[in-house]
Amino acid sequence: MASLVTAGELTDGFQNALQTDPAFQGARAELEANQITAKQAGRAYWPELGLKFGDRTETGGSQRTIQIAQPLVSAERLTTLLGASSLDLKAEATLQQRMDQLAVRYFATVTELIRTRESLGLNLRKKEALELQTVAAKRAFELGTGTVTDQRDTLVRLQQARAEEQGLKARRAAAERQFLAMTGQPAQPDAFVLAHKRRSLVLPNISQLKGSLLQHNPALIAARQDERLADLDVWRKRGAFLPQVNFIAKQTTISSGGSANYVGVSVDFPLQSSSILAIDASKATARKSVADARAVEQNAMLEVERLYALVESGQVESDIRLDAIEAAQLSVEGNKQSYKGGVRSQLDVLNSIQILFEVQDQYVTSVLSMASNLVSLHSQVGATPATEILMLLENLLF
């Protein structure tokens, strides 16, 4: 699955999306904010500097106090410090989630672009075939070998194809606008041409993917860090009953003359009745975080199993669709020859043409669905960077 090819139009577009997509730019800012929060937590035991000015009513004049406090014992600061690494891991996992989500959204946009372009191409060839049949039906009627019904049936199918073309053009224009908005670059007219070929995709064992999921799934990593932070919060709330010890160095200067220096230790007992309720609330939050982490893991496992089955079946289905196209092409030729020999009707020829383009469209849909499921499968496992997945699809699709 990690078989790499040279980066091409698919990966180039994704690199542009990484620099342009507004949702992902917000994710970059979110990462920066989360990393700053983690740095702040890592500085919980840094010394604090205080500077205070004020008037002394009892003696007159003003007073200035400079104080440096070095925390020595503090349950709140200790749990905050211990949670710094979890905050940092969660920040990175969150960015990875956003990148995987961008890859899924980007490929969905490319998929719609490919589907509409392919459908327009198929519709154009169908129109050409029906136009030839229209001319043939008119000629046969003039020669007395055909009927007016043949002419009308052919014209109906042709007009349907012309009407479908308008809707497909609108869909293609919408997909091109979406691609431009996401990447900042227009999709080239000759880009993303789907190859009609048999595809060989070797998937890892499902148990290997599940094992990778437990280690690399970004949503699961973030949920586990939330679980650890919630557990630390319980200890933080319990620590509210413990004394807070600080080393103090303080100098007080009075404008009317005189100063005082103090170096020593301060001990605070922040006892509050609300702390007991806060402990109960934090315990409940911790239990919820454990349940949330289990739910994320379970849902990810189920999603991997579902997507794995869809990718496997999609590969088999696309090969069958190719066989169906070959059979439908032979059917069209056979019906045309039989019509000339008076064995088949014009309606049989039209139906065979319709079936041919239907199975061709179904082939395109099955290939793109398989590829979309493959992108989603990798985003769930989280072990392979999104760029590498798109490089794999580059070779698989085009």
Side-chain angles (χ1 to χ4, degrees):
M1 232 169 159
S3 175
L4 302 183
V5 295
T6 305
E9 56 199 17
L10 190 62
T11 47
D12 288 345
F14 182 65
Q15 292 297 333
N16 291 332
L18 289 174
Q19 304 301 322
T20 305
D21 183 71
F24 188 71
Q25 302 317 305
R28 290 183 187 274
E30 181 185 23
L31 172 67
E32 184 179 355
N34 290 338
Q35 287 179 331
I36 291 174
T37 301
K39 287 181 180 179
Q40 289 176 332
R43 298 177 180 181
Y45 270 95
W46 280 33
E48 297 178 350
L49 175 65
L51 183 61
K52 183 168 63 175
F53 292 92
D55 294 329
R56 292 176 58 90
T57 56
E58 66 274 17
T59 60
S62 62
Q63 175 178 298
R64 182 190 66 188
T65 300
I66 301 176
Q67 174 179 297
I68 297 177
Q70 173 61 57
L72 299 177
V73 177
S74 172
E76 180 180 359
R77 292 176 184 273
L78 178 60
T79 52
T80 300
L81 179 63
L82 293 175
S85 60
S86 292
L87 289 171
D88 198 45
L89 287 173
K90 182 182 176 182
E92 294 176 359
T94 301
L95 181 67
Q96 184 61 48
Q97 272 186 282
R98 302 293 184 263
M99 184 177 293
D100 290 341
Q101 290 167 358
L102 174 62
V104 172
R105 289 191 294 109
Y106 167 73
F107 191 71
T109 300
V110 173
T111 295
E112 178 63 13
L113 185 60
I114 295 172
R115 181 177 285 112
T116 54
R117 286 180 172 181
E118 287 286 330
S119 296
L120 273 170
L122 289 173
N123 194 72
L124 176 61
R125 292 194 290 275
K126 182 167 69 173
K127 279 199 318 175
E128 292 172 350
L130 291 173
E131 285 169 354
L132 291 175
Q133 290 302 309
T134 301
V135 173
K138 181 179 179 181
R139 185 177 305 160
F141 177 71
E142 292 172 350
L143 295 174
T145 58
T147 66
V148 68
T149 303
D150 292 338
Q151 281 187 287
R152 291 171 180 173
D153 286 341
T154 308
L155 185 59
V156 167
R157 302 293 179 97
L158 179 59
Q159 296 292 51
Q160 285 178 326
R162 289 171 176 170
E164 289 171 3
E165 181 181 20
Q166 302 309 310
L168 290 171
K169 285 183 177 179
R171 283 179 54 192
R172 182 186 62 182
E176 289 173 345
R177 288 194 297 270
Q178 180 63 32
F179 185 88
L180 176 61
M182 184 173 289
T183 65
Q185 299 290 333
Q188 298 302 314
D190 57 347
F192 309 123
V193 179
L194 189 67
H196 288 229
K197 62 182 181 180
R198 297 188 185 275
R199 294 168 171 82
S200 177
L201 177 65
V202 180
L203 289 173
N205 187 279
I206 185 67
S207 60
Q208 293 178 341
L209 292 179
K210 288 183 177 180
S212 296
L213 181 151
L214 293 174
Q215 296 181 11
H216 303 290
N217 181 276
L220 183 56
I221 292 173
R224 285 172 177 169
Q225 301 314 311
D226 282 335
E227 182 181 348
R228 183 169 184 268
L229 290 169
D231 187 55
L232 287 173
D233 190 59
V234 174
W235 289 102
R236 180 184 294 111
K237 297 300 191 298
R238 287 175 175 172
F241 293 98
L242 299 177
Q244 298 179 5
V245 181
N246 296 319
F247 175 79
I248 299 291
K250 181 168 63 174
Q251 182 187 61
T252 301
T253 303
I254 304 173
S255 61
S256 59
S259 64
N261 299 320
Y262 172 78
V263 177
V265 175
S266 69
V267 181
D268 297 328
F269 289 89
L271 300 178
Q272 297 180 5
S273 59
S274 60
S275 298
I276 298 176
L277 297 176
I279 292 174
D280 293 336
S282 62
K283 286 181 179 179
T285 302
R287 290 194 299 271
K288 179 180 180 299
S289 66
V290 172
D292 288 344
R294 289 178 180 175
V296 169
E297 180 180 337
Q298 183 182 59
N299 292 337
M301 287 290 187
L302 292 173
E303 187 67 2
V304 163
E305 290 176 351
R306 185 184 72 86
L307 292 170
Y308 189 89
L310 289 175
V311 172
E312 276 193 321
S313 63
Q315 185 173 357
V316 177
E317 178 188 347
S318 63
D319 288 343
I320 296 174
R321 298 288 186 191
L322 274 179
D323 294 335
I325 290 174
E326 294 175 2
Q329 289 171 337
L330 293 174
S331 176
V332 170
E333 293 303 319
N335 276 287
K336 285 181 179 179
Q337 296 301 323
S338 297
Y339 173 66
K340 290 178 180 179
V343 179
R344 293 282 186 175
S345 67
Q346 177 71 10
L347 184 59
D348 293 325
V349 176
L350 296 176
N351 286 337
S352 65
I353 292 174
Q354 182 68 30
I355 291 173
L356 171 61
F357 289 102
E358 284 179 0
V359 296
Q360 288 177 326
D361 188 66
Q362 290 167 355
Y363 168 76
V364 172
T365 300
S366 66
V367 171
L368 294 179
S369 296
M370 180 190 67
S372 297
N373 290 327
L374 185 62
V375 173
S376 298
L377 176 62
H378 274 288
S379 70
Q380 285 292 329
V381 175
T384 308
T387 305
E388 292 188 13
I389 303 307
L390 294 174
M391 291 174 71
L392 172 65
L393 289 174
E394 196 94 45
N395 187 45
L396 191 68
L397 295 178
F398 311 126

